[in-house]
Amino acid sequence: MNSFIVMQGETYHEERNAGILWTPRIDKSGMVPHSWKRMHELKEGDHVFHYVKGQIVAISLITQGCKNGIIPGGTEEVFIAQAIYHELDFPLAVRDYFDAIEPLLPLKYSPFQEDASGNSGYLYPCNEELAMKLLEVITSLNFFAVEEEQLELAIEVVKRSTHNPLMTMISEMEMEIKEKMRRSKKQFSKSLMQLWHNECPLCGIDIDAALAASYAKPWKDSTDAERLDPHNGILLCANHAALYTAGLIAFTGGGQLHIASRIPEAQYAVYGLKKAAKVPATLEHAPYFRWHKRNIYIEPKKLKLAKTVEER
């Protein structure tokens, strides 16, 4: 089961009433935009968050995957999928919760811009971490009494929730997503333990409980295959894993350690770091390590360039 976010705007009511999602097959230039082509990824059992004018207003269940068809009541050839819509009594205003949502957005094909507005386009992927956050907020808005004066109504709210199709769907989504993430991360961790011989290559710690399987390309930016690829990461002790995830250290494609200037050289020993350290990276590690260094490592490349210009 995968999740998506669809940007519908003025077409929402038409599509909801027809129980569908659809896009034209080609644009005016004869091309197929990525957000239209993604319609082919919709499969039976997938879920879609519906974004309309700044708010997520519904969640739908795909009952028939994308096919080529004709728009209802018309003659235009389109990509079309069948869905059951479940509207929210209290929509989720993305801007109000963007501080929690933004860190979970992928760098590529994000449904939302930095100012919390929706991107142009139609269908966007919604990674599991983002889906869980959206479900958490939607649940808190729609099914739980939070004001003190509403506490006496809480029992009735719970009773209604147990018979609510939306709540049932959300519960099933959460269980499926959690299980998918648990299985994937467990397999990833096991693979990294084997690949790195159960020890941190930077400090030699070999106690399993003190080791962490650290993604180079984070879950939110990876495909399902990349999330299981043991070369998409490195086994590190908890200390170095935290530094790597935060972008305070990185590795070149060849495994050379880079340390952000935020960590003074005089404190390298405190963090268990050595300036000339190198880990045994393979060719398969290279694209992932480079991606992390380019996108996660906090050393500001633009600032470096600016300083170089000033020095001239």
Side-chain angles (χ1 to χ4, degrees):
M1 185 274 286
N2 291 312
S3 300
F4 299 85
I5 297 177
V6 64
M7 325 300 276
Q8 285 171 302
E10 299 297 333
T11 67
Y12 170 73
H13 294 290
E14 174 189 340
E15 293 180 64
R16 179 204 61 192
N17 292 340
I20 60 172
L21 284 78
W22 72 271
T23 67
R25 292 175 62 179
I26 57 173
D27 62 17
K28 294 180 180 180
S29 65
M31 305 295 289
V32 184
H34 72 84
S35 67
W36 295 3
K37 188 180 297 184
R38 191 168 293 109
M39 285 286 293
H40 289 292
E41 297 178 21
L42 288 175
K43 302 291 187 294
E44 181 180 346
D46 287 343
H47 293 91
V48 181
F49 296 92
H50 296 260
Y51 176 87
V52 179
K53 297 180 179 179
Q55 298 182 316
I56 292 176
V57 301
I59 307 174
S60 66
L61 171 67
I62 299 299
T63 56
Q64 185 180 81
C66 179
K67 295 183 178 181
N68 295 335
I70 304 296
I71 185 173
T75 58
E76 181 182 4
E77 293 185 346
V78 298
F79 299 139
I80 188 168
Q82 304 293 323
I84 298 174
Y85 282 62
H86 297 274
E87 291 196 313
L88 307 181
D89 291 332
F90 300 95
L92 188 165
V94 171
R95 191 177 301 277
D96 292 347
Y97 297 91
F98 200 61
D99 286 346
I101 291 172
E102 186 176 25
L104 305 176
L105 296 175
L107 297 180
K108 188 176 183 180
Y109 301 137
S110 171
F112 306 115
Q113 300 181 38
E114 292 181 355
D115 64 357
S117 60
N119 269 318
S120 59
Y122 186 72
L123 191 65
Y124 288 86
C126 179
N127 69 75
E128 287 76 11
E129 293 174 333
L130 176 57
M132 286 298 294
K133 176 54 65 176
L134 296 178
L135 292 174
E136 175 189 321
V137 176
I138 287 170
T139 299
S140 68
L141 289 173
N142 287 268
F143 300 107
F144 294 107
V146 295
E147 298 294 339
E148 186 173 349
E149 59 268 26
Q150 293 179 319
L151 290 180
E152 65 272 16
L153 301 177
I155 295 178
E156 184 60 31
V157 171
V158 171
K159 287 180 180 178
R160 291 201 308 270
S161 299
T162 58
H163 302 290
N164 188 304
L166 175 61
M167 188 61 182
T168 299
M169 183 176 69
I170 288 176
S171 297
E172 292 174 349
M173 287 178 67
E174 289 177 332
M175 286 190 291
E176 290 178 13
I177 292 171
K178 287 178 180 178
E179 180 62 14
K180 177 181 179 179
M181 295 180 69
R182 186 193 67 80
R183 287 178 178 272
S184 296
K185 291 184 177 182
K186 182 178 180 180
Q187 181 176 335
F188 180 72
S189 179
K190 182 179 180 180
S191 298
L192 258 67
M193 284 285 193
Q194 296 173 347
L195 191 62
W196 293 94
H197 308 295
N198 293 68
E199 70 174 30
C200 174
L202 291 179
C203 65
I205 286 179
D206 60 0
I207 301 173
D208 288 359
L211 296 171
S214 305
Y215 281 104
K217 190 175 183 181
W219 181 282
K220 68 184 180 68
D221 295 295
S222 295
T223 64
D224 284 344
E226 290 171 336
R227 292 165 183 164
L228 297 177
D229 187 348
H231 299 99
N232 179 18
I234 183 170
L235 186 70
L236 296 168
C237 70
N239 171 50
H240 292 135
L243 296 177
Y244 189 64
T245 300
L248 290 166
I249 62 173
F251 301 97
T252 65
Q256 185 71 45
L257 175 67
H258 281 230
I259 305 170
S261 58
R262 187 178 297 180
I263 302 177
E265 189 169 346
Q267 295 185 11
Y268 283 3
V270 175
Y271 293 95
L273 299 171
K274 296 180 181 179
K275 189 174 183 179
K278 187 176 182 180
V279 301
T282 65
L283 290 176
E284 289 83 0
H285 286 107
Y288 292 117
F289 281 4
R290 292 192 188 108
W291 192 98
H292 177 274
K293 188 172 182 295
R294 183 172 62 251
N295 296 288
I296 306 298
Y297 187 47
I298 67 171
E299 202 65 16
K301 296 179 181 179
K302 292 183 179 180
L303 181 58
K304 287 181 180 178
L305 179 60
K307 288 183 177 179
T308 303
V309 173
E310 288 173 3
E311 290 170 358
R312 293 178 180 174

